[in-house]
Amino acid sequence: MIPPLLCSSNVILLLLTGIFQQYWVHQVRKVRLQGYYDFSQKLKHIARLPFATIAYGTALMLLLIIWQPFVHILSISLLLRIAIVVEATFAGCFMSLYIWYIHKYNSLDGRPDILQSLYSALQPSTTTLEDRRYYDGRLSDQQMALLQYQRENIHYLSEEVLRLQECLSKYQRTDVGNTPQVDLVHLLASRDQELRALSAEMNQVHSELQLARGLIDEKDSEIQRIRLSNSQYVEENDRLRAILGEWSSRAAKLERALEAERLSNIELRKNIAKFRGQLHKEQHV
């Protein structure tokens, strides 16, 4: 008899980990949009592990129930308890690891890592963009993440510019004084300049992304040409091997014919020598 408490506990764990997974995936997407690309890549894999662990544990419990008549080592109730304890332990470990990463993320005070990883790739160096693309397969994904990060910044700065414009118009209507207006105009100009700089950087990254995609297409076409040439070489090699095999068989036939001719010549010489001996004896007689 399977205890109902075990089944209920497993269903509750499945529901809880499913809810947490949806929430964590949303949080990982927010972290990615904030520019922490490497950190979001780590969290992306961990966020799905608790639910996957409970799901695999549930599948194992179903297998134990199905194979119950053939399992005689322990009782089915004890095996189910062991399975649910193991899956809950692993799920708890993964959740603790995720919480530790989140705590580490909250203590970060540096710049987003997406800027460091991609701006360095856009600077002039001895390594070309093509080499970076083929030695680091995540470059296109990182550039896409940077574009999303720049869009979020542009959206935020646009809202900030609108807010400052509203404040400026409010100060102008109230006509309180010149000093706040001057400060606000200066802040608005700096925000507008930062917005234009971000737009220029976004356009530059977009052009670099197009260049990388062009290089990928060029390499793909080159690989297709190499494969076509390789197939032609293989066909030519097969044809030459067939010709070589035919000539080898002909050479073997000629060798056998030559050997037969040599044996016949030896036999003929023996007959001639024997005939000459008989002829010489007849002349003496």
Side-chain angles (χ1 to χ4, degrees):
M1 184 65 182
I2 302 172
L5 183 60
L6 287 178
C7 298
S8 302
S9 301
N10 193 75
V11 171
I12 292 173
L13 285 176
L14 200 62
L15 291 175
L16 288 177
T17 51
I19 294 172
F20 276 114
Q21 176 179 334
Q22 296 299 323
Y23 175 72
W24 286 348
V25 168
H26 177 68
Q27 293 298 319
V28 169
R29 191 177 296 111
K30 288 176 61 177
V31 170
R32 178 187 174 94
L33 291 177
Q34 290 175 0
Y36 296 97
Y37 176 80
D38 294 334
F39 183 71
S40 65
Q41 289 296 109
K42 295 178 182 178
L43 291 182
K44 182 176 69 174
H45 302 292
I46 301 176
R48 293 180 171 86
L49 288 178
F51 180 77
T53 302
I54 300 299
Y56 288 136
T58 304
L60 178 61
M61 293 174 66
L62 291 176
L63 286 177
L64 290 175
I65 294 172
I66 293 173
W67 290 92
Q68 179 181 359
F70 305 98
V71 178
H72 303 290
I73 301 175
L74 297 173
S75 63
I76 188 64
S77 177
L78 182 59
L79 289 176
L80 292 178
R81 286 189 178 92
I82 293 174
I84 196 169
V85 168
V86 170
E87 68 183 32
T89 302
F90 276 98
C93 292
F94 292 136
M95 294 175 72
S96 301
L97 182 62
Y98 183 89
I99 293 173
W100 180 78
Y101 272 119
I102 290 295
H103 178 71
K104 182 180 178 181
Y105 165 72
N106 292 330
S107 62
L108 292 176
D109 55 355
R111 298 181 62 189
D113 52 22
I114 191 66
L115 299 177
Q116 299 175 359
S117 61
L118 287 181
Y119 285 162
S120 60
L122 299 177
Q123 299 297 328
S125 62
T126 56
T127 305
T128 61
L129 181 62
E130 179 182 356
D131 295 333
R132 289 183 180 274
R133 163 63 183 87
Y134 284 96
Y135 286 109
D136 186 8
R138 300 186 306 167
L139 181 56
S140 299
D141 189 31
Q142 288 177 343
Q143 287 180 337
M144 188 61 66
L146 179 60
L147 289 175
Q148 294 175 354
Y149 172 70
Q150 297 287 28
R151 288 194 188 100
E152 290 294 322
N153 281 341
I154 290 174
H155 180 69
Y156 168 74
L157 290 175
S158 299
E159 292 180 350
E160 189 71 14
V161 168
L162 292 176
R163 187 182 66 83
L164 291 175
Q165 286 178 349
E166 291 178 358
C167 293
L168 179 60
S169 61
K170 185 186 297 184
Y171 275 111
Q172 288 176 350
R173 285 195 303 267
T174 54
D175 197 16
V176 176
N178 294 328
T179 303
Q181 293 181 9
V182 172
D183 294 338
L184 195 58
V185 169
H186 179 69
L187 182 59
L188 181 60
S190 63
R191 291 291 185 180
D192 190 35
Q193 184 178 2
E194 186 177 357
L195 179 61
R196 286 196 297 269
L198 285 174
S199 300
E201 290 177 358
M202 182 176 176
N203 293 331
Q204 182 181 0
V205 173
H206 188 66
S207 62
E208 292 289 342
L209 180 60
Q210 290 179 349
L211 177 61
R213 288 176 178 173
L215 290 174
I216 293 172
D217 295 336
E218 182 180 353
K219 286 296 180 181
D220 289 338
S221 61
E222 185 177 352
I223 290 172
Q224 293 295 331
R225 289 196 300 270
I226 292 174
R227 287 179 178 174
L228 181 60
S229 301
N230 189 23
S231 62
Q232 292 177 354
Y233 289 148
V234 170
E235 292 177 358
E236 184 68 18
N237 191 16
D238 293 337
R239 188 178 67 84
L240 292 176
R241 284 183 178 178
I243 294 174
L244 182 61
E246 183 180 355
W247 280 104
S248 298
S249 61
R250 288 183 181 181
K253 290 179 181 179
L254 289 175
E255 287 179 357
R256 289 194 296 270
L258 183 61
E259 184 67 21
E261 186 68 23
R262 188 177 65 83
L263 293 176
S264 63
N265 287 335
I266 293 173
E267 187 68 24
L268 182 60
R269 287 176 183 176
K270 289 180 180 180
N271 293 332
I272 291 173
K274 187 184 294 184
F275 178 73
R276 285 179 179 177
Q278 292 177 358
L279 184 62
H280 184 68
K281 288 180 181 180
E282 289 177 357
Q283 288 178 357
H284 283 289
V285 173

